[in-house]
Coordinates of all heavy atoms in Angstrom, one line a residue:
M1 N 120.1 94.4 91.6 CA 120.1 94.6 90.1 C 120.3 96.2 89.9 O 119.7 96.9 90.6 CB 118.9 94.1 89.5 CG 118.8 94.4 88.0 SD 117.3 93.9 87.1 CE 117.1 92.2 87.6
E2 N 121.0 96.5 88.9 CA 121.2 97.9 88.5 C 119.9 98.5 88.1 O 119.1 97.9 87.5 CB 122.2 97.9 87.4 CG 122.6 99.3 86.9 CD 123.7 99.2 85.8 OE1 124.1 98.1 85.4 OE2 124.0 100.3 85.3
N3 N 119.7 99.8 88.4 CA 118.6 100.5 87.9 C 118.5 100.6 86.4 O 119.5 100.9 85.8 CB 118.6 102.0 88.5 CG 117.5 102.8 88.0 OD1 117.4 103.2 86.9 ND2 116.7 103.2 89.0
I4 N 117.4 100.1 85.8 CA 117.3 100.0 84.4 C 117.5 101.4 83.7 O 118.2 101.5 82.7 CB 116.0 99.4 84.0 CG1 116.0 97.9 84.5 CG2 115.8 99.4 82.5 CD1 114.7 97.2 84.3
N5 N 116.8 102.4 84.2 CA 117.0 103.7 83.6 C 118.4 104.3 83.7 O 118.9 104.9 82.7 CB 116.0 104.7 84.2 CG 114.6 104.5 83.7 OD1 114.3 104.5 82.5 ND2 113.7 104.1 84.6
A6 N 119.1 104.0 84.8 CA 120.5 104.4 84.9 C 121.3 103.7 83.9 O 122.2 104.2 83.3 CB 120.9 104.2 86.4
A7 N 121.1 102.4 83.7 CA 121.8 101.6 82.8 C 121.6 102.1 81.3 O 122.6 102.2 80.6 CB 121.4 100.1 82.8
I8 N 120.4 102.5 81.0 CA 120.1 103.0 79.7 C 120.9 104.3 79.5 O 121.5 104.5 78.5 CB 118.6 103.2 79.5 CG1 117.9 101.8 79.4 CG2 118.3 104.0 78.2 CD1 116.4 101.9 79.5
T9 N 120.8 105.2 80.5 CA 121.4 106.5 80.4 C 123.0 106.3 80.3 O 123.6 107.0 79.5 CB 121.1 107.4 81.6 OG1 119.7 107.6 81.6 CG2 121.8 108.7 81.6
H10 N 123.5 105.4 81.0 CA 124.9 105.1 81.0 C 125.4 104.7 79.6 O 126.4 105.2 79.0 CB 125.3 104.1 82.0 CG 126.8 103.8 82.0 ND1 127.7 104.6 82.6 CD2 127.5 102.7 81.6 CE1 128.9 104.1 82.4 NE2 128.8 102.9 81.8
K11 N 124.6 103.8 79.0 CA 124.9 103.3 77.6 C 124.8 104.5 76.6 O 125.6 104.6 75.7 CB 124.0 102.2 77.2 CG 124.3 101.5 75.9 CD 125.7 100.8 76.1 CE 126.0 99.9 74.9 NZ 127.1 99.1 75.1
I12 N 123.8 105.3 76.8 CA 123.7 106.5 75.9 C 124.9 107.4 76.0 O 125.5 107.8 75.0 CB 122.4 107.3 76.2 CG1 121.2 106.5 75.8 CG2 122.4 108.7 75.5 CD1 119.8 107.0 76.2
E13 N 125.4 107.6 77.2 CA 126.5 108.5 77.4 C 127.8 107.8 76.8 O 128.6 108.5 76.2 CB 126.8 108.6 78.9 CG 125.7 109.3 79.7 CD 125.6 110.8 79.4 OE1 126.5 111.4 78.9 OE2 124.5 111.3 79.6
E14 N 127.9 106.5 76.9 CA 129.1 105.8 76.3 C 129.0 106.0 74.8 O 130.1 106.3 74.2 CB 129.0 104.3 76.6 CG 129.4 103.9 78.0 CD 129.3 102.4 78.2 OE1 128.8 101.7 77.3 OE2 129.9 102.0 79.2
Q15 N 127.9 105.8 74.2 CA 127.8 105.9 72.8 C 127.9 107.3 72.3 O 128.5 107.5 71.2 CB 126.4 105.3 72.3 CG 126.3 103.8 72.6 CD 127.4 103.0 71.9 OE1 127.7 103.1 70.7 NE2 128.1 102.1 72.7
K16 N 127.4 108.3 73.0 CA 127.5 109.7 72.7 C 129.0 110.0 72.5 O 129.4 110.6 71.6 CB 126.9 110.6 73.7 CG 127.1 112.1 73.4 CD 126.6 112.9 74.6 CE 126.9 114.4 74.4 NZ 128.4 114.7 74.3
D17 N 129.8 109.6 73.5 CA 131.3 109.8 73.5 C 131.9 109.1 72.3 O 132.8 109.7 71.6 CB 131.9 109.4 74.8 CG 131.5 110.3 76.0 OD1 130.9 111.4 75.7 OD2 131.7 109.9 77.1
R18 N 131.5 107.9 72.1 CA 132.1 107.1 71.0 C 131.9 107.7 69.7 O 132.7 107.7 68.8 CB 131.6 105.6 71.1 CG 132.1 104.7 70.1 CD 131.6 103.3 70.4 NE 131.8 102.5 69.1 CZ 130.9 101.9 68.5 NH1 129.6 102.0 68.9 NH2 131.1 101.3 67.4
F19 N 130.6 108.1 69.5 CA 130.3 108.7 68.2 C 130.5 110.2 68.1 O 130.4 110.8 67.0 CB 128.8 108.4 67.9 CG 128.5 107.0 67.4 CD1 128.4 106.0 68.3 CD2 128.3 106.8 66.0 CE1 128.1 104.7 67.8 CE2 128.0 105.5 65.6 CZ 128.0 104.5 66.5
R20 N 130.9 110.8 69.2 CA 131.1 112.2 69.2 C 130.0 113.0 68.6 O 130.1 113.8 67.7 CB 132.4 112.6 68.5 CG 133.6 112.0 69.2 CD 134.9 112.4 68.5 NE 136.0 111.8 69.2 CZ 137.1 111.3 68.6 NH1 137.2 111.4 67.3 NH2 138.1 110.8 69.3
T21 N 128.8 112.7 69.2 CA 127.6 113.4 68.7 C 127.0 114.2 69.8 O 127.5 114.2 70.9 CB 126.6 112.3 68.2 OG1 125.5 113.0 67.5 CG2 126.0 111.4 69.3
S22 N 126.0 115.0 69.5 CA 125.3 115.9 70.5 C 124.1 115.2 71.1 O 123.5 114.3 70.5 CB 124.9 117.2 69.8 OG 123.9 116.9 68.9
Y23 N 123.8 115.7 72.3 CA 122.5 115.3 72.9 C 121.3 115.6 72.0 O 120.4 114.9 71.9 CB 122.3 115.9 74.3 CG 123.3 115.4 75.3 CD1 124.1 116.2 76.0 CD2 123.3 114.0 75.6 CE1 125.0 115.8 76.9 CE2 124.2 113.6 76.6 CZ 125.0 114.4 77.2 OH 125.9 113.9 78.2
G24 N 121.4 116.8 71.3 CA 120.3 117.2 70.4 C 120.1 116.2 69.3 O 118.9 115.9 69.0
A25 N 121.1 115.7 68.7 CA 121.0 114.7 67.7 C 120.4 113.4 68.2 O 119.6 112.8 67.5 CB 122.4 114.4 67.0
I26 N 120.8 113.0 69.4 CA 120.3 111.8 70.0 C 118.8 112.0 70.3 O 118.0 111.1 70.0 CB 121.0 111.4 71.2 CG1 122.5 111.2 70.9 CG2 120.4 110.1 71.9 CD1 123.4 111.1 72.2
A27 N 118.5 113.1 70.9 CA 117.1 113.4 71.2 C 116.2 113.4 69.9 O 115.1 112.8 69.9 CB 116.9 114.8 71.9
E28 N 116.7 114.0 68.9 CA 115.9 114.0 67.6 C 115.7 112.6 67.1 O 114.6 112.3 66.6 CB 116.7 114.9 66.6 CG 116.0 115.1 65.3 CD 116.7 115.9 64.3 OE1 117.4 116.9 64.8 OE2 116.5 115.7 63.1
S29 N 116.7 111.8 67.2 CA 116.6 110.4 66.7 C 115.6 109.6 67.5 O 114.9 108.7 67.0 CB 117.9 109.7 66.8 OG 118.3 109.3 68.1
A30 N 115.4 110.0 68.8 CA 114.4 109.3 69.6 C 113.0 109.9 69.5 O 112.1 109.4 70.1 CB 114.9 109.4 71.1
G31 N 112.9 111.0 68.7 CA 111.6 111.6 68.5 C 111.1 112.5 69.7 O 109.9 112.6 69.9
M32 N 112.1 113.1 70.3 CA 111.7 114.0 71.5 C 112.5 115.3 71.5 O 113.5 115.4 70.8 CB 111.9 113.2 72.8 CG 113.4 112.9 73.1 SD 113.7 112.1 74.7 CE 113.0 110.5 74.4
S33 N 112.0 116.2 72.2 CA 112.7 117.5 72.4 C 114.0 117.3 73.3 O 114.1 116.3 74.0 CB 111.8 118.6 73.0 OG 111.6 118.3 74.4
L34 N 114.9 118.2 73.2 CA 116.1 118.1 74.0 C 115.7 118.3 75.5 O 116.3 117.6 76.3 CB 117.1 119.2 73.6 CG 118.4 119.2 74.4 CD1 119.1 117.9 74.2 CD2 119.3 120.3 73.8
T35 N 114.7 119.0 75.8 CA 114.2 119.2 77.2 C 113.7 117.9 77.7 O 114.1 117.4 78.8 CB 113.1 120.3 77.2 OG1 113.7 121.5 76.8 CG2 112.6 120.4 78.7
Q36 N 112.9 117.2 76.9 CA 112.4 115.9 77.3 C 113.5 114.9 77.5 O 113.6 114.1 78.5 CB 111.4 115.3 76.3 CG 110.1 116.0 76.2 CD 109.3 115.5 75.0 OE1 109.9 115.4 73.9 NE2 108.0 115.3 75.2
F37 N 114.5 114.9 76.5 CA 115.6 114.0 76.6 C 116.4 114.2 77.9 O 116.8 113.3 78.6 CB 116.5 114.2 75.4 CG 117.7 113.4 75.3 CD1 117.7 112.1 74.8 CD2 118.9 113.9 75.8 CE1 118.8 111.3 74.8 CE2 120.1 113.1 75.7 CZ 120.0 111.8 75.2
N38 N 116.7 115.5 78.2 CA 117.5 115.8 79.4 C 116.8 115.4 80.6 O 117.4 115.0 81.6 CB 117.9 117.3 79.4 CG 119.0 117.6 78.4 OD1 119.8 116.7 78.1 ND2 119.0 118.8 77.9
R39 N 115.5 115.5 80.7 CA 114.7 115.1 81.8 C 114.9 113.6 82.1 O 115.1 113.2 83.2 CB 113.2 115.5 81.6 CG 112.4 115.4 82.9 CD 111.0 115.9 82.7 NE 111.0 117.3 82.3 CZ 110.3 117.9 81.3 NH1 109.6 117.1 80.5 NH2 110.4 119.1 81.1
K40 N 114.8 112.9 81.0 CA 115.0 111.4 81.2 C 116.5 111.1 81.5 O 116.8 110.3 82.3 CB 114.6 110.7 79.9 CG 113.1 110.8 79.7 CD 112.7 110.2 78.4 CE 111.2 110.5 78.2 NZ 110.4 109.2 78.2
R41 N 117.4 111.8 80.8 CA 118.8 111.6 81.1 C 119.2 111.9 82.5 O 120.1 111.2 83.1 CB 119.6 112.5 80.1 CG 121.1 112.1 80.1 CD 121.8 112.9 79.0 NE 121.8 114.3 79.1 CZ 122.6 115.1 79.9 NH1 123.6 114.4 80.5 NH2 122.5 116.3 80.0
N42 N 118.5 112.8 83.1 CA 118.8 113.2 84.5 C 118.0 112.5 85.5 O 118.0 112.8 86.7 CB 118.6 114.7 84.7 CG 119.7 115.5 83.9 OD1 120.8 115.1 83.9 ND2 119.3 116.6 83.3
G43 N 117.2 111.5 85.1 CA 116.5 110.6 86.0 C 115.1 111.1 86.4 O 114.4 110.5 87.2
G44 N 114.6 112.2 85.8 CA 113.3 112.7 86.1 C 112.1 111.9 85.5 O 111.0 111.9 86.0
K45 N 112.4 111.2 84.4 CA 111.4 110.4 83.7 C 112.0 109.1 83.3 O 113.2 109.0 83.1 CB 110.8 111.1 82.5 CG 110.0 112.3 82.8 CD 108.6 111.9 83.1 CE 107.7 113.2 83.2 NZ 106.4 112.9 83.4
D46 N 111.2 108.1 83.1 CA 111.7 106.8 82.6 C 111.8 106.8 81.1 O 111.0 107.4 80.4 CB 110.8 105.6 83.0 CG 110.8 105.4 84.5 OD1 111.7 105.9 85.2 OD2 109.9 104.7 85.0
W47 N 112.8 106.0 80.5 CA 112.9 105.8 79.1 C 111.8 104.9 78.6 O 111.5 103.9 79.4 CB 114.2 105.2 78.7 CG 115.4 106.1 79.1 CD1 116.2 106.0 80.1 CD2 115.9 107.2 78.3 NE1 117.2 107.0 80.1 CE2 117.0 107.7 79.0 CE3 115.5 107.8 77.1 CZ2 117.7 108.8 78.5 CZ3 116.2 108.9 76.7 CH2 117.3 109.4 77.4
T48 N 111.2 105.1 77.5 CA 110.3 104.1 76.9 C 111.0 103.2 76.0 O 112.1 103.5 75.5 CB 109.1 104.8 76.1 OG1 109.7 105.4 74.9 CG2 108.4 105.9 76.9
A49 N 110.4 102.0 75.8 CA 111.0 101.0 74.9 C 111.2 101.6 73.5 O 112.2 101.4 72.8 CB 110.1 99.8 74.8
T50 N 110.2 102.4 73.0 CA 110.3 103.0 71.7 C 111.4 104.0 71.6 O 112.2 103.9 70.6 CB 109.0 103.7 71.3 OG1 107.9 102.8 71.4 CG2 109.0 104.4 70.0
E51 N 111.6 104.8 72.6 CA 112.8 105.7 72.6 C 114.1 104.9 72.6 O 115.0 105.3 71.8 CB 112.7 106.6 73.8 CG 111.6 107.6 73.8 CD 111.2 108.1 75.2 OE1 111.7 107.7 76.2 OE2 110.4 109.0 75.2
V52 N 114.2 103.9 73.4 CA 115.4 103.1 73.4 C 115.7 102.5 72.1 O 116.8 102.4 71.6 CB 115.4 102.1 74.6 CG1 116.7 101.2 74.5 CG2 115.3 102.8 75.9
A53 N 114.6 101.9 71.5 CA 114.8 101.3 70.2 C 115.3 102.3 69.1 O 116.1 102.0 68.3 CB 113.4 100.7 69.7
R54 N 114.7 103.5 69.1 CA 115.1 104.5 68.2 C 116.6 104.9 68.4 O 117.3 105.1 67.4 CB 114.2 105.7 68.3 CG 112.8 105.5 67.7 CD 112.0 106.7 68.0 NE 110.6 106.5 67.4 CZ 109.6 107.2 67.7 NH1 109.7 108.2 68.6 NH2 108.4 107.0 67.2
I55 N 117.0 105.0 69.7 CA 118.4 105.4 70.0 C 119.3 104.3 69.6 O 120.4 104.5 69.0 CB 118.5 105.8 71.5 CG1 117.7 107.1 71.7 CG2 120.0 106.0 71.9 CD1 117.5 107.4 73.2
A56 N 118.9 103.0 69.8 CA 119.7 101.9 69.4 C 119.9 101.9 67.9 O 121.0 101.7 67.4 CB 119.1 100.6 69.9
E57 N 118.9 102.2 67.2 CA 119.0 102.3 65.7 C 119.9 103.4 65.3 O 120.7 103.3 64.4 CB 117.6 102.5 65.1 CG 117.6 102.5 63.6 CD 116.1 102.6 63.0 OE1 115.2 102.1 63.7 OE2 116.0 103.2 62.0
F58 N 119.8 104.6 66.0 CA 120.7 105.7 65.7 C 122.2 105.3 65.8 O 123.0 105.7 65.0 CB 120.3 106.9 66.6 CG 121.2 108.1 66.5 CD1 121.1 109.0 65.5 CD2 122.2 108.3 67.5 CE1 121.9 110.1 65.4 CE2 123.0 109.4 67.4 CZ 122.9 110.3 66.4
F59 N 122.5 104.6 66.9 CA 123.8 104.2 67.2 C 124.2 102.9 66.5 O 125.4 102.4 66.5 CB 124.1 104.0 68.7 CG 124.2 105.3 69.4 CD1 123.3 105.6 70.5 CD2 125.0 106.3 69.0 CE1 123.4 106.8 71.2 CE2 125.1 107.5 69.7 CZ 124.3 107.7 70.8
R60 N 123.2 102.2 65.8 CA 123.4 101.0 65.1 C 124.0 99.9 66.1 O 125.0 99.2 65.8 CB 124.4 101.1 63.9 CG 123.8 102.1 62.9 CD 124.7 102.1 61.7 NE 124.3 103.2 60.8 CZ 125.0 104.3 60.6 NH1 126.1 104.6 61.2 NH2 124.5 105.3 59.8
I61 N 123.3 99.8 67.2 CA 123.7 98.7 68.2 C 122.4 98.0 68.6 O 121.3 98.5 68.4 CB 124.4 99.3 69.4 CG1 123.5 100.3 70.2 CG2 125.8 99.9 69.1 CD1 124.1 100.9 71.5
P62 N 122.6 96.8 69.1 CA 121.4 96.0 69.5 C 120.6 96.7 70.7 O 121.2 97.3 71.6 CB 121.9 94.7 70.0 CG 123.3 94.6 69.5 CD 123.8 96.0 69.3
F63 N 119.3 96.6 70.5 CA 118.4 97.2 71.6 C 118.8 96.6 73.0 O 118.8 97.4 73.9 CB 117.0 96.8 71.2 CG 115.9 97.1 72.2 CD1 115.4 98.4 72.2 CD2 115.4 96.2 73.0 CE1 114.4 98.7 73.1 CE2 114.4 96.5 73.9 CZ 113.9 97.8 74.0
T64 N 119.1 95.4 73.0 CA 119.4 94.7 74.3 C 120.6 95.2 75.0 O 120.8 95.1 76.2 CB 119.5 93.2 74.2 OG1 120.4 92.9 73.2 CG2 118.1 92.6 73.8
S65 N 121.5 95.9 74.2 CA 122.8 96.4 74.8 C 122.5 97.5 75.8 O 123.4 97.9 76.6 CB 123.7 96.8 73.7 OG 123.3 98.0 73.1
F66 N 121.3 98.1 75.9 CA 121.0 99.1 76.8 C 120.6 98.6 78.2 O 120.4 99.4 79.1 CB 119.9 100.0 76.3 CG 120.3 100.9 75.2 CD1 120.3 100.5 73.8 CD2 120.8 102.2 75.4 CE1 120.7 101.3 72.8 CE2 121.2 103.0 74.4 CZ 121.2 102.6 73.1
F67 N 120.5 97.3 78.3 CA 119.9 96.8 79.6 C 121.0 95.9 80.3 O 121.9 95.4 79.7 CB 118.7 95.9 79.2 CG 117.6 96.7 78.6 CD1 117.5 96.7 77.2 CD2 116.8 97.5 79.3 CE1 116.5 97.4 76.5 CE2 115.8 98.2 78.7 CZ 115.7 98.2 77.3
P68 N 120.9 95.9 81.6 CA 121.8 95.1 82.4 C 121.9 93.6 82.0 O 120.8 93.1 81.5 CB 121.3 95.2 83.9 CG 120.4 96.4 83.9 CD 119.9 96.5 82.5
D69 N 123.0 93.0 82.0 CA 123.2 91.6 81.6 C 122.2 90.7 82.3 O 121.7 89.7 81.6 CB 124.6 91.2 81.9 CG 125.6 91.8 80.9 OD1 125.2 92.3 79.9 OD2 126.8 91.8 81.3
Q70 N 121.8 90.9 83.5 CA 120.9 90.1 84.2 C 119.5 90.0 83.5 O 118.8 89.0 83.6 CB 120.6 90.5 85.6 CG 121.8 90.7 86.5 CD 122.4 92.1 86.5 OE1 122.5 92.7 85.5 NE2 122.7 92.5 87.7
L71 N 119.2 91.0 82.7 CA 117.9 91.0 82.0 C 118.0 90.4 80.6 O 117.0 90.0 80.0 CB 117.4 92.4 81.9 CG 117.0 93.1 83.2 CD1 116.6 94.6 82.9 CD2 115.9 92.4 83.9
T72 N 119.2 90.3 80.1 CA 119.3 89.9 78.7 C 119.9 88.5 78.5 O 120.0 88.0 77.4 CB 120.1 90.9 77.9 OG1 121.4 91.1 78.4 CG2 119.4 92.3 77.8
T73 N 120.4 87.9 79.5 CA 121.0 86.6 79.4 C 120.0 85.6 79.9 O 119.3 85.8 80.9 CB 122.3 86.5 80.2 OG1 122.1 86.8 81.5 CG2 123.4 87.4 79.6
T74 N 120.0 84.5 79.2 CA 119.1 83.4 79.7 C 120.0 82.3 80.2 O 121.1 82.0 79.8 CB 118.3 82.8 78.5 OG1 119.2 82.4 77.5 CG2 117.3 83.9 78.0
K75 N 119.5 81.6 81.2 CA 120.2 80.5 81.9 C 119.6 79.2 81.3 O 118.4 79.1 81.1 CB 120.0 80.6 83.4 CG 120.6 81.8 84.0 CD 120.4 81.8 85.5 CE 121.0 83.1 86.1 NZ 120.7 83.2 87.5
A76 N 120.5 78.3 81.1 CA 120.1 77.0 80.6 C 119.4 76.3 81.7 O 119.7 76.4 82.8 CB 121.4 76.2 80.1
A77 N 118.4 75.5 81.2 CA 117.6 74.8 82.2 C 118.5 73.7 82.8 O 119.3 73.1 82.1 CB 116.4 74.1 81.5
A78 N 118.3 73.5 84.1 CA 119.2 72.5 84.8 C 118.7 71.1 84.6 O 117.7 70.8 84.3 CB 119.2 72.8 86.3

């Protein structure tokens, strides 16, 4: 399974490019300093659910879109 923090960071990078916004704006939307944001973006700290939820709201995308498909899809009972 893909590293969850790496998956979150990858999605943030995709959305940053799509929206043509700054890291500072994303960090502010998550309620953190740019230094804290960059530490998480570079793998030094884990993202919290609250931060991911705020970033999802900023980009107007579902919270679950930040996570690998293996974590968000359910399998029908056999």
